[in-house]
Amino acid sequence: MNSRSITIGRDDQVSGVTIGETAPLAFLGGPCAIETSDHARMMAERIGEICAKLNIPWIYKSCYDKDCRSAPDSFHGVGLDEGLKILGDIRSDFGIPVVCDFSDADWAKPTGEVVDLIQVPAYLCRQTTILRAAGDTGLPVHLKKGQFMSPWNMKNAVRKIEATGNRQILLTDRGTFFGYNMLVNDFRNFPIMSETGYPVCFDATHSVQLPTSMGDISGGQREFIPHLVRAAAACGINALFMEVHDDPPNALSDANTVLDIKYLEQILAQAKAAHELRLELLDKWGADRVHLDD
Amino acid sequence: MSISTTDLMVKDVLLSPDRVPVLPPTTLLKQALEEMNKFRLGVVCVTDEDEKLIGIFTDGDVRRLLLKSQKPFAALFVDDIIVHATSSFTSINDTASLSEAVVLMEKKEIWDLPVIAEGDGKFLGLLHLHPAIKAVMGL
């Protein structure tokens, strides 16, 4: 169903990553928040080693401002200037594309001058000003489906970005509210969002979040990550998103959902295998043909 | 000099594109239904960038879709109209006679007949059965 692919990487300084169609499964990962320069670089190095070993194209993800934390005194981030400096250094020193979100339309331009893929936070996926600012950067846009949004209504968000002339979009599912403080994954979201013609991605770590379930912070059930990743890869994603940390209990953001890096290799290896098997099956049996008209 | 009803051509009676819902293929189904209401016609005409007619979506298509589709309305409403439009529609050239057109509409049991330019194939409008019959009858 994915008729378009997008390529992440604004120049030759980084290894470009193609996402979509029959391209290899791409990985977007890193710590939820940029904590320190040393920590961010250490994570980039360790994730890079695993992706190199598995031959998985990847994009480093970490954010300078966490604007949707549950409590007023939660870690908010290192800020725009310091964060972008760290991301820019990682980009040039490690030769990998980077992605970061923004939650204020004024931040889109400076962010877009550093990153290769600009991210629209799920909570803001209806905000026209944010979507327009993302589209106007001219960069590929990582558009996360709001937990409150139906997959078909993401078409409206897509069209807001397309109205800027930007037709490079990656659509991601990060779970859907199932009552209060609970998310579930509806795997129909992937084929439905694919109908937009853009590649789709699964955010495994935010999907296991239990939003603000612990009073002033979000809980999570990270034990389900491997199950959900295998299911999503079999269903037909083009990219996998996971936040990764070397010390989850002490992570400054999303401590209850980030994946311990010691599990990254085994999960990525399985995701890659499931993705490749799906492509083999489609090649052998043809595209999915169960239609309404049958 | 008055024109005899037998001499009338399709181009003399057709509804020009400004009097018909003419929409691009990416129009949402919900918007297409609103256009049908606005023009009080049971049909929308889907054209491409070259003003060529590429699909027709009618009241009958709405009925069949409602009976067939198991999607929630909210999902159906955001489908592109071209997904549900009929691409194999009956049409007629603007140089055809009106009586020829009415016979064709009777034979196909249709109320609206798209009119296509003989030369460049552009969409010129719609022949609606009521004004066509009125013209044939000299009313």
Side-chain angles (χ1 to χ4, degrees), chain A:
Chain A
M1 180 58 86
N2 307 129
S3 55
R4 287 183 206 132
S5 59
I6 60 173
T7 299
I8 317 300
R10 59 195 303 151
D11 55 37
D12 294 339
Q13 202 170 32
V14 297
S15 303
V17 175
T18 297
I19 302 175
E21 296 182 321
T22 55
L25 185 73
F27 175 55
L28 286 67
C32 178
I34 301 169
E35 299 183 359
T36 65
S37 176
D38 287 346
H39 182 261
R41 295 176 69 86
M42 179 272 291
M43 291 300 300
E45 185 168 4
R46 292 187 61 183
I47 297 170
E49 287 170 358
I50 293 167
C51 289
K53 182 178 176 184
L54 297 173
N55 194 24
I56 291 178
W58 80 291
I59 300 162
Y60 183 83
K61 183 271 168 185
S62 205
C63 295
Y64 54 75
D65 185 283
K66 305 304 299 179
D67 205 33
C68 59
R69 303 306 304 279
S70 298
D73 56 352
S74 294
F75 177 66
H76 206 97
V78 297
L80 180 76
D81 295 337
E82 185 180 345
L84 289 178
K85 168 79 169 59
I86 292 169
L87 286 175
D89 288 345
I90 286 174
R91 184 180 186 280
S92 56
D93 295 347
F94 292 88
I96 46 172
V98 297
V99 56
C100 178
D101 71 15
F102 69 103
S103 47
D104 183 312
D106 289 341
W107 300 344
K109 190 166 184 295
T111 305
E113 288 168 356
V114 173
V115 303
D116 302 89
L117 174 67
I118 191 152
Q119 180 172 307
V120 173
Y123 282 130
L124 301 178
C125 72
R126 291 177 63 104
Q127 304 305 112
T128 305
T129 309
I130 292 287
L131 294 165
R132 192 179 290 147
D136 281 341
T137 63
L139 293 171
V141 178
H142 182 206
L143 175 59
K144 302 185 94 173
K145 184 186 87 62
Q147 304 89 318
F148 47 87
M149 290 283 280
S150 63
W152 43 83
N153 282 134
M154 287 306 290
K155 187 177 194 174
N156 299 326
V158 164
R159 289 204 167 168
K160 289 179 186 179
I161 295 170
E162 288 179 335
T164 68
N166 191 325
R167 290 180 174 268
Q168 302 177 89
I169 301 170
L170 175 63
L171 280 153
T172 288
D173 181 30
R174 55 141 304 163
T176 301
F177 277 125
F178 187 69
Y180 301 119
N181 308 112
M182 173 71 77
L183 299 175
V184 293
N185 287 112
D186 179 354
F187 286 98
R188 296 176 301 179
N189 289 355
F190 299 120
I192 291 172
M193 292 199 296
S194 289
E195 288 176 11
T196 60
Y198 293 107
V200 293
C201 173
F202 177 52
D203 175 349
T205 47
H206 285 113
S207 288
V208 298
Q209 187 182 58
L210 301 170
T212 327
S213 64
M214 301 180 75
D216 60 348
I217 61 169
S218 291
Q221 293 177 291
R222 59 166 68 88
E223 66 271 26
F224 293 124
I225 291 172
H227 304 274
L228 296 176
V229 166
R230 283 189 294 266
C235 192
I237 56 172
N238 306 104
L240 174 65
F241 177 110
M242 290 192 292
E243 291 182 339
V244 187
H245 202 278
D246 62 314
D247 183 15
N250 291 304
L252 296 183
S253 181
D254 285 359
N256 284 313
T257 53
V258 289
L259 180 72
D260 193 318
I261 196 167
K262 68 185 178 188
Y263 301 120
L264 182 61
E265 181 178 344
Q266 67 180 82
I267 290 179
L268 282 183
Q270 292 180 64
K272 180 181 178 179
H275 175 76
E276 290 171 350
L277 177 59
R278 175 179 168 274
L279 292 179
E280 280 177 34
L281 291 171
L282 287 175
D283 192 47
K284 178 178 179 182
W285 293 96
D288 297 324
R289 291 189 296 266
V290 182
H291 293 305
L292 190 62
D293 293 335
D294 291 340

Side-chain angles (χ1 to χ4, degrees), chain B residues 10 12 35 40 61 68-70 75 92 94-95 123 128:
Chain B
V10 166
D12 298 322
E35 289 295 304
R40 298 175 64 83
D61 292 321
K68 186 174 73 170
S69 173
Q70 300 295 306
I92 197 162
D94 58 323
T95 53
F123 175 66
H128 191 53

Side-chain angles (χ1 to χ4, degrees), chain B residues 9-67:
Chain B
M9 309 293 285
V10 166
K11 62 185 175 189
D12 298 322
V13 186
L14 64 80
L15 299 174
S16 55
D18 60 326
R19 298 172 65 195
V20 175
V22 184
L23 306 171
T26 53
T27 306
L28 301 185
L29 176 65
K30 166 73 165 30
Q31 295 169 328
L33 296 177
E34 287 170 345
E35 289 295 304
M36 291 165 98
N37 273 346
K38 183 175 146 191
F39 284 89
R40 298 175 64 83
L41 281 172
V43 60
V44 294
C45 303
V46 185
T47 56
D48 64 13
E49 292 172 350
D50 297 325
E51 299 175 41
K52 298 269 177 64
L53 189 66
I54 56 175
I56 287 286
F57 184 71
T58 68
D59 278 345
D61 292 321
V62 178
R63 289 197 305 275
R64 285 181 283 277
L65 186 58
L66 291 180
L67 290 172

